[in-house]
Structure formats: structure tokens, C-alpha cells
Amino acid sequence: MPSVSFLAVAMMLGLQLLPQVLAFDPNVSSVLPRGGQQGQSVEVTLNGDRLYHPEELILYRPGMSVEALEKLSNKSVKATLRIAPDAPLGEHPLRLRTRGGVSYLRTFWVTPFPDVKEKIVRDEKRKENRDANDSFEDPQRIQLNTTVHGIARKEDADYYVFRGQKGQRITAEVFGMRLGRIMFDPYLALLDENRFELATSDDTVLTRRDPFINVVLPKDGDYTLLVRESSYEGDNRANYLLQLAEMPRPTTVFPPAAKPGSEVEFALIGDAAGEFKQSLTLPKEGEIHHFYPIHDGEQAPSPNPVHLTTLPIHTETEPNFRDQAAQSAASDLPLAFQGILAQPDDIDWFHFSARKGQKLRVQVHARSLRSPLDSVIQVRSLKGNKNLGRSDDEGTHPDSKLDFTVPEDGSYLLSIRDQLRRGGPDFVYHIEVAPVPSTLSAKLPYAENNNSQKDRAIVIPRGRHLAVVPNVTRQNTNCEIMLQADKLPTGVDYQMDPAPRNPVNFPILFSTTRDAPLAATLTRFTITDTQSDLRGPFDETINHVEINNAGAFASTHNERLTVAVIEEAPFDLELLSPAVPLVRDGTMDLVIRAKRTGGYQGPIKVKVPWRPAGVGTPSEVTIPSNQNEAILSINANSTAPTRSWKMTVTGEGKTDRGTVRLSPPFIDLSIAEPYLKGAIDLLTGPPGSTLEAICRLDHLQSFDGQAELTLQGLPHGVSAEKVLVAAGQKEVQIKIALTGEARPGKSKSLFAQILVPANGTHIPHQIARGTTLVITPRREKETAAKD
């Protein structure tokens, strides 16, 4: 039996349902605790606002299930999570779905060790709780192989003491910024019994803003870990997970890349106990594989990445630090090179052959694989030693990329070094030399600055529609594209036209039936070339913490998007189909009508998420409170493609309990050639005069009846009469009156608006754009006579 909505019940009973009965746009601001151990059940509290009618936790990764979901209040929901013994370690994205919406994406972290909470005591003098571990002299004692849940408050320093033995390898790693709650830069130090620092860590290449310490203990005794915000600027939201165990912590993997599906023995570099080996069978698909290094039965706290490639790989053999000693590739392009800049000032040279006209890309993978290398590459021809290009950073990313066209058949040299000429055993790199690939990808755009979460879930009210407009990135291709979805909630469908070759975005209209069950799916979308097998992802990257000009500090990448059906919205929209086309250099008023239900009378903000090429519109209009209509004025420039487009808008209505968003169905908007064009010569005259302007007309299409012509853009004190234009008429005279209030000067923005009759209405044209009127000063005699 399908579920019945609140609005449907109200309508059956003939009731006017007030908007506050429903709640839209649930807001989950925190998930506490921030993680849990494999094989355990954990009670998690989701805090926020508008958490009415919780129905489901949407889990993106396998290994966890929801045993219970309970509403504690309208601002709090409790979920009991069952974590499987083999649940993948690390980040597990989730969203809360209620009857009225889907929350922003949040994360929960699966850990391998028992959980320990930072101790809190009651300060009776101040009548508040405080940390019980805020001094070196009175730390909190913990055991190895535990995960500590703590908070780095403002001017707070948390101390944890543990017992260690000489020669014991220990690793302490903090998960702080990665938890993605706030801008939180943790600092970690290891102190001996005399408070001397044995190791400190702030930012690292491997874990970015999160620190780790990996040491072999020098003697038996107590050791203390200090955790704080690096500038003592924490607060009550600065949660962290501190893992402490006898774990390995290599920083780099070699080889840094391998073939998908192959079995490879990797060297794990950078661990305090020394380099070790690990054999691994790689997955058959993907581009980056993250795996957890294991040594002596112990697993690292977080994974190391390895690049997957089908290209033949050539590993450097020393010496190749000079161009004369460049290592030659044993195969034709495409191919890959990899190696280590093992010492300061090290430069590695490689030699490859290429054919004239090839468009090649040299792509470095180093920092993306968490190598400290900040690469600089150069390509030169062996013949004549001509420089073909050099690359340091690629945009904001320190990995180099160089595209170039091969000038002639022959041999070429490729060099790589560090920007600061550093080197070391972990300065690994992988370089691919291949033809510039043809690729497609799509993502939803930012709805507001520094907020990659807003409007990223596709949430459609029952019986309504919602338009989304992904941005498309085409590389080395210029194709029409379509969308494919592997699954959708029951009762959900979508509509789109093939996206043309040139636009960078395109509209998709999702629709739901009135009896669609309230549900959600994680949908894998794919964009495809309509004429070939080229395919690309339509996925999302959620930046939990980001700052203007500084970029993202904590992100989650998902290959699937959330699509959900929610309760009916308290309004619907209709975009009326125009009876006539929009012509080039013409204008049109589109009517947007609202149908309100349940007593909702609030304003509805209407935005234009997508415009056809060459069409201009306001960014938004508003249907005022207690009104049901707004006008959207649009125009087409002189180069707008003449064709039919699918067009819609998006309406947002704020209720007492959140914002709901929807769209009207598509309309067909036709862009056509104008019926006529025209020109008006320069107009001049003094105040008090009457001018006769001749508008020469060029008829491009025939029409029935008479058109109306009005001169627009006139300055103050100037008026012009309306004239009629008959079909085929070559010119018309327009009388222009310059009153005494007209001020001398030049007006260059006059134009003629012509309303051409068609299909019971009019088609507005704008012709004679840029017509100039010069109002000259009165002659002295005329002025004296008037005085």
C-alpha cells in the first residue's frame, strides 16, 4: 500500500493545511560520536534543525547498517549503527532523509580499536564541565591500540600518557581536519618523562593538515602525547580521533603505479622501523587505489595511494641525472616513466620517440600520490636541443602537466626535478606520456559561494518536478551528450534534450508521480557521447571545509548522487508556453504562475538555472506573498541559434520549517529569425524643434495585419509618436518632439520596438539599435527672442 502524504489527507478532508505541519530541508550540523570500532554497535546522535519525521540514514559505503532510528526532538535524532567486523576503515559518508528532505552530507569514521573518551570533570566553582587532562602533570592514561575521542577547545591542551618499551615502534595519528566539521588544524607532540620533545607534527604531505608521529621508542617508560589546535584557536566543535598503536606508518609507496588487476610487491618507504615489502593484488578498475599497509600483522592507521594505469611502465635506472645519460623507453607511445629523486639536486632524464603532429600530454603523478615532490618538467627535442615546453604547477595543483604538438619525427628528452631541488627516498613520481585524451565529466555547480553542499542532492516533491543543471567538462572532444542513470526511486523519471556541442551546461528535469513512495537511491549517473562510446561520470565532490582563495581542506568524493522523493510542496509552478517564437534582437515576457495549497501564502523566489545560448534573462524574479503570478522578461541577441530549446525555472518557497524547491514542466522556447530589420540615420535638432525620422525597413518574413513601431530610449524632454507598419512597407516616418526641457547632448542608445502581430498576440522586435540623437544648443538669436 503506497504511503499517504499529509497534504493528500488534508485535501481529502477538505482542510486548509498550515505550512508549519510539514518540515523541509533538514539540517544536520553534527554527528557524534565521530567514529566507532569495527564489529560494534554504536549509538550516534545527529544534531541540527528541522529533523521532523526521520525515515532513513543514507549510507554511501558498505559495512554499516542502521539497527534503529529514533527522533529525540526536532533538533536531534538518535541512530544505532551496526558496524560489521570487516567494515572498511576510514570515512563513511551519510545523509539523513526525512519525509520533507535530505540533509547535507556528513561523515562517520570506522576505526580498528576500542574507543576511549577524553575525560571530563565537573568544576563546581565555575559550575561547568572541563577537561581532566589539560596539564602535563595530570594527564589521562590510555593504553596502546586505542582510539581516543577528544575535543581541542580554545586555548586547550590535551595530554595522554601511555607506557612504552625500548625498541617498540608506535604510531599516533590524529583525525581532525579530515573529520570535516570545522577549520581545525591539529598539532601533535610526543614528550618523554622529563617533558622533552621526542617528535612533533603539524601538517604532513601524506595526511595534509592532520599530524602523525611514527617513532621507535628509545627506552622503557611513560610517554605523553600532546594534542591541541596548532594556534590554540579550537572550540567545542573541534572534535578529533587520536589513534595510538604499534602500527606501521610508511609515507610513500614504490612503485607508485601499476597495472589494474596485477599482483605487485610494493616497497613501503618512510616507516620509523625501516622499509618493508607488501604484496597486493590490485583492483581491475579505477584510477587511484588506496590500501592500508600491513607490517608484522599490524595495519597502518590510514591508507596510502597507488595509481592504476594500463600504460607500459619504465622504471628509472641510475645514472640518468644528465641529458646525455637519459634512459630510453623500450616501447612506443603511449608509455609511462617512474622513479625516485633520491638526493637533493637530483634530475632524472628520459628519452622517447614521437611522430610529427602528435598532440601529446605529459602528466606527472606525485603530490596526488602523497609524494613530497613539487615537480618541474621540461621537454626538449634531441635534434637541435630545442625547448618544447616546461611546466611547474597545474593550476593550484603542484603536479606538472604539459600539452604540446610534436614538431617532427624524432627523439625527445623529458626531465623532472623538484621545484626547490629537494630530494629523498620518498620523492617518488610517475609520469605518463600519451596523446591528449578525450574525456567527459559533469558536476552540479555551486549554489552559493563556499558551500559545495547546497542543492547537491536531487530532492523532488511528490507530484512535482525539479530541474538540475550540471556543468560539463569536455576535453579534446566537441560532442552532443545524453544522460544515463543506473537506477532511480520508484515513480521518478527525467527528461532532457541532447546537450549541444558548445554549451558548458544543460538542463535535466526530474519528475515524480503523485503516488511515488517517499524513498531515496544512490544513483550512478553517466554522460555519454550520442555518436560514440565515449562516456564520463556525473559525480560529486563535497568540500566540508573550504575558504575563499585557499581552496578545500576536507573533501569527500562520491561517484553516486542522492535522488529522493519527499512530501508534496505547498505550492506548484507553471511556466506558460509562449504562443509565438522569441526572435533575434527581440524580447518576450514569460508568465510564471503559482498554485498554492495548504494555506501557504509566502513569497516564492524564482530563479533561472539555465538559459539557451544567446538568451538573456534576469537571474531571478519573485512571486510576492499572497500573489500567484510573476513576469520573466527575456531577450535574444542577434547571434542566438535559431532552434527550439527546453526551458524551465526553479522556485524556492520558505516555510516556517525550511525551504522547498521545485520547477514547472519544460516549455518549448523557439528562437527564430526576425520578421524585419531596420535602420535610422543620425538625428539632430535643438530643443523646441520637431524632427522627422525615416526608419528604413527590410522585411525578412511576411506577416498579416499591421505592426506597431515605437521609438525607445529617448532622453528626458523628448517624445515620439507611435506609427503603424503595413506588411511589405519599406519605410516609415516618425515624428519626434524636442520640448524646451530637452537638454543638449548626445544619446546613442535609441532603438525602435516593433510589435509584429502573430497567432493572436505580438512578437516584440528591437531594430535600429544604436540610433543616435544629438540635441544641439539653441542658437543665440532664438534664445534671445524667447527671453
Side-chain angles (χ1 to χ4, degrees):
M1 177 179 178
S3 56
V4 181
S5 72
F6 297 123
L7 280 178
V9 171
M11 292 172 68
M12 287 188 290
L13 297 177
L15 301 177
Q16 285 294 306
L17 186 63
L18 297 178
Q20 59 263 32
V21 173
L22 295 179
F24 301 99
D25 190 24
N27 170 33
V28 172
S29 57
S30 68
V31 177
L32 298 173
R34 299 299 291 115
Q37 185 187 5
Q38 289 172 317
Q40 302 296 312
S41 290
V42 182
E43 285 191 354
V44 175
T45 302
L46 293 82
N47 299 304
D49 197 11
R50 301 183 297 277
L51 305 183
Y52 300 76
H53 313 297
E55 295 220 329
E56 177 188 14
L57 271 189
I58 302 170
L59 304 175
Y60 281 71
R61 297 185 70 187
M64 292 200 310
S65 58
V66 181
E67 294 181 331
L69 190 65
E70 177 187 357
K71 174 186 169 183
L72 302 179
S73 71
N74 295 331
K75 296 180 181 293
S76 184
V77 171
K78 181 175 72 174
T80 303
L81 299 179
R82 178 62 187 173
I83 307 173
D86 60 349
L89 295 174
E91 181 186 67
H92 284 250
L94 57 84
R95 295 180 188 267
L96 176 67
R97 181 179 66 81
T98 68
R99 294 182 68 89
V102 174
S103 74
Y104 281 5
L105 185 140
R106 303 303 180 196
T107 62
F108 181 84
W109 291 71
V110 173
T111 67
F113 305 121
D115 299 313
V116 175
K117 292 183 179 180
E118 180 185 7
K119 284 187 178 179
I120 304 295
V121 295
R122 182 69 177 174
D123 189 330
E124 293 300 339
K125 284 187 177 182
R126 297 185 178 181
K127 303 298 182 182
E128 63 183 12
N129 295 332
R130 65 171 180 82
D131 294 349
N133 63 340
D134 57 3
S135 71
F136 177 80
E137 292 75 19
D138 189 20
Q140 179 177 344
R141 183 166 290 276
I142 60 175
Q143 302 298 316
L144 291 174
N145 303 320
T146 59
T147 300
V148 180
H149 294 243
I151 301 175
R153 296 175 175 84
K154 187 176 180 64
E155 299 181 359
D156 183 22
D158 296 338
Y159 292 88
Y160 303 94
V161 65
F162 66 93
R163 190 72 179 174
Q165 297 176 349
K166 181 179 179 179
Q168 192 175 30
R169 174 186 59 192
I170 67 101
T171 296
E173 184 166 316
V174 175
F175 295 76
M177 187 74 80
R178 281 174 285 183
L179 300 185
R181 190 173 182 193
I182 63 168
M183 182 67 184
F184 168 38
D185 184 11
Y187 170 88
L188 179 65
L190 178 66
L191 312 175
D192 68 10
E193 293 173 329
N194 298 314
R195 205 169 184 171
F196 288 113
E197 291 182 346
L198 300 180
T200 64
S201 179
D202 187 355
D203 301 342
T204 72
V205 174
L206 178 63
T207 55
R208 296 181 171 91
R209 291 297 179 115
D210 285 343
F212 69 83
I213 288 174
N214 172 233
V215 299
V216 175
L217 298 179
K219 61 179 181 179
D220 295 351
D222 280 349
Y223 294 86
T224 301
L225 289 169
L226 163 63
V227 181
R228 61 174 173 83
E229 205 282 330
S230 61
S231 300
Y232 292 96
E233 291 295 329
D235 65 23
N236 290 334
R237 300 169 298 163
N239 300 92
Y240 63 82
L241 301 177
L242 168 65
Q243 290 191 20
L244 173 66
E246 300 176 81
M247 302 178 287
R249 179 62 287 172
T251 57
T252 309
V253 176
F254 194 86
K259 187 172 293 186
S262 62
E263 183 175 345
V264 182
E265 183 180 64
F266 292 98
L268 284 302
I269 303 167
D271 185 69
E275 180 180 313
F276 61 93
K277 307 287 187 181
Q278 181 178 345
S279 293
L280 190 71
T281 299
L282 297 172
K284 296 181 180 180
E285 295 181 347
E287 182 178 350
I288 300 289
H289 175 59
H290 294 86
F291 73 96
Y292 284 81
I294 299 175
H295 186 225
D296 293 339
E298 300 291 340
Q299 182 171 277
S302 56
N304 290 75
V306 61
H307 182 68
L308 302 181
T309 180
T310 58
L311 301 183
I313 300 175
H314 303 272
T315 303
E316 69 155 335
T317 55
E318 298 288 357
N320 67 335
F321 61 94
R322 294 180 179 175
D323 53 356
Q324 295 90 342
Q327 181 177 334
S328 296
S331 60
D332 295 331
L333 295 178
L335 51 79
F337 302 104
Q338 60 190 17
I340 304 175
L341 297 176
Q343 302 174 23
D345 291 322
D346 194 2
I347 303 177
D348 286 350
W349 289 86
F350 298 95
H351 170 276
F352 64 91
S353 298
R355 297 188 303 275
K356 180 179 180 179
Q358 283 184 298
K359 295 182 178 180
L360 299 181
R361 169 168 296 169
V362 182
Q363 176 68 65
V364 175
H365 299 273
R367 193 61 64 86
S368 61
L369 302 177
R370 312 321 307 150
S371 167
L373 173 63
D374 181 4
S375 61
V376 177
I377 58 173
Q378 185 179 26
V379 174
R380 290 166 30 191
S381 61
L382 190 61
K383 179 182 177 181
N385 198 30
K386 183 180 179 181
N387 179 32
L388 298 182
R390 177 184 181 276
S391 175
D392 180 6
D393 298 343
E394 168 57 24
T396 59
H397 199 284
D399 281 348
S400 309
K401 183 179 78 173
L402 175 64
D403 291 349
F404 71 100
T405 301
V406 178
E408 58 181 332
D409 292 358
S411 297
Y412 295 85
L413 294 170
L414 166 64
S415 69
I416 182 170
R417 65 172 175 85
D418 182 71
Q419 168 68 24
L420 300 177
R421 299 189 178 273
R422 301 168 302 158
D426 54 350
F427 278 66
V428 303
Y429 61 84
H430 174 82
I431 313 173
E432 296 186 348
V433 185
V436 176
S438 297
T439 61
L440 291 173
S441 63
K443 291 185 184 296
L444 290 176
Y446 274 45
E448 62 183 36
N449 193 35
N450 282 339
N451 185 356
S452 67
Q453 296 252 33
K454 183 175 172 58
D455 300 340
R456 286 297 178 92
I458 301 171
V459 180
I460 317 113
R462 267 180 173 166
R464 305 288 196 262
H465 313 269
L466 179 69
V468 300
V469 182
N471 289 337
V472 179
T473 300
R474 296 178 176 89
Q475 179 178 265
N476 200 32
T477 184
N478 190 23
C479 59
E480 289 189 346
I481 57 177
M482 285 294 291
L483 180 76
Q484 295 180 351
D486 66 341
K487 60 180 177 181
L488 291 168
T490 301
V492 175
D493 202 354
Y494 65 91
Q495 178 187 3
M496 65 169 289
D497 277 348
R501 300 175 184 274
N502 293 325
V504 297
N505 51 27
F506 63 95
I508 309 165
L509 189 71
F510 287 86
S511 304
T512 66
T513 59
R514 292 190 178 277
D515 59 352
L518 304 185
T521 59
L522 291 174
T523 301
R524 190 182 303 273
F525 290 103
T526 306
I527 55 173
T528 62
D529 179 359
T530 58
Q531 302 297 321
S532 75
D533 295 330
L534 184 61
R535 305 164 65 86
F538 175 16
D539 53 15
E540 69 175 5
T541 297
I542 299 297
N543 298 324
H544 302 284
V545 182
E546 60 182 320
I547 297 176
N548 263 341
N549 302 320
F553 293 88
S555 302
T556 298
H557 177 77
N558 295 313
E559 296 179 347
R560 297 174 296 170
L561 275 63
T562 298
V563 182
V565 181
I566 64 170
E567 280 284 8
E568 286 98 327
F571 66 91
D572 199 0
L573 292 178
E574 180 185 11
L575 181 62
L576 272 60
S577 295
V580 294
L582 172 65
V583 297
R584 286 177 166 176
D585 282 329
T587 62
M588 176 182 288
D589 286 342
L590 295 178
V591 179
I592 306 165
R593 287 182 181 162
K595 179 182 179 181
R596 301 174 184 270
T597 58
Y600 177 69
Q601 294 298 329
I604 302 171
K605 183 185 294 184
V606 180
K607 298 183 178 181
V608 184
W610 180 83
R611 301 162 181 80
V615 174
T617 72
S619 58
E620 64 181 55
V621 296
T622 298
I623 301 176
S625 300
N626 301 306
Q627 296 186 30
N628 297 319
E629 192 169 289
I631 300 298
L632 179 69
S633 297
I634 68 175
N635 61 80
N637 64 30
S638 60
T639 62
T642 54
R643 53 160 290 178
S644 179
W645 301 92
K646 300 289 186 186
M647 186 175 175
T648 187
V649 296
T650 301
E652 289 186 0
K654 286 188 176 181
T655 73
D656 292 341
R657 294 185 178 180
T659 300
V660 64
R661 202 165 63 102
L662 55 82
S663 300
F666 275 140
I667 63 167
D668 290 316
L669 178 68
S670 294
I671 312 297
E673 291 286 358
Y675 279 70
L676 66 174
K677 294 183 178 181
I680 301 174
D681 291 334
L682 176 69
L683 304 171
T684 62
S689 63
T690 299
L691 307 179
E692 286 194 356
I694 304 297
C695 181
R696 300 182 302 279
L697 299 172
D698 181 13
H699 290 255
L700 307 178
Q701 299 184 55
S702 61
F703 59 87
D704 296 327
Q706 290 184 315
E708 296 179 359
L709 184 150
T710 307
L711 202 58
Q712 304 285 341
L714 298 170
H716 176 72
V718 180
S719 62
E721 64 179 9
K722 181 187 297 185
V723 297
L724 298 178
V725 180
Q729 188 173 348
K730 294 298 183 181
E731 63 180 36
V732 292
Q733 291 184 344
I734 309 168
K735 288 187 177 181
I736 304 172
L738 282 66
T739 68
E741 295 182 358
R743 294 183 178 181
K746 181 185 289 188
S747 298
K748 298 188 292 184
S749 57
L750 277 65
F751 65 93
Q753 182 185 66
I754 297 186
L755 302 179
V756 176
N759 202 20
T761 183
H762 292 91
I763 303 176
H765 292 58
Q766 292 182 359
I767 65 172
R769 286 174 173 269
T771 295
T772 300
L773 169 63
V774 178
I775 302 176
T776 60
R778 293 194 185 98
R779 297 176 183 176
E780 294 183 3
K781 291 182 179 181
E782 293 177 354
T783 304
K786 185 173 182 179
D787 293 341

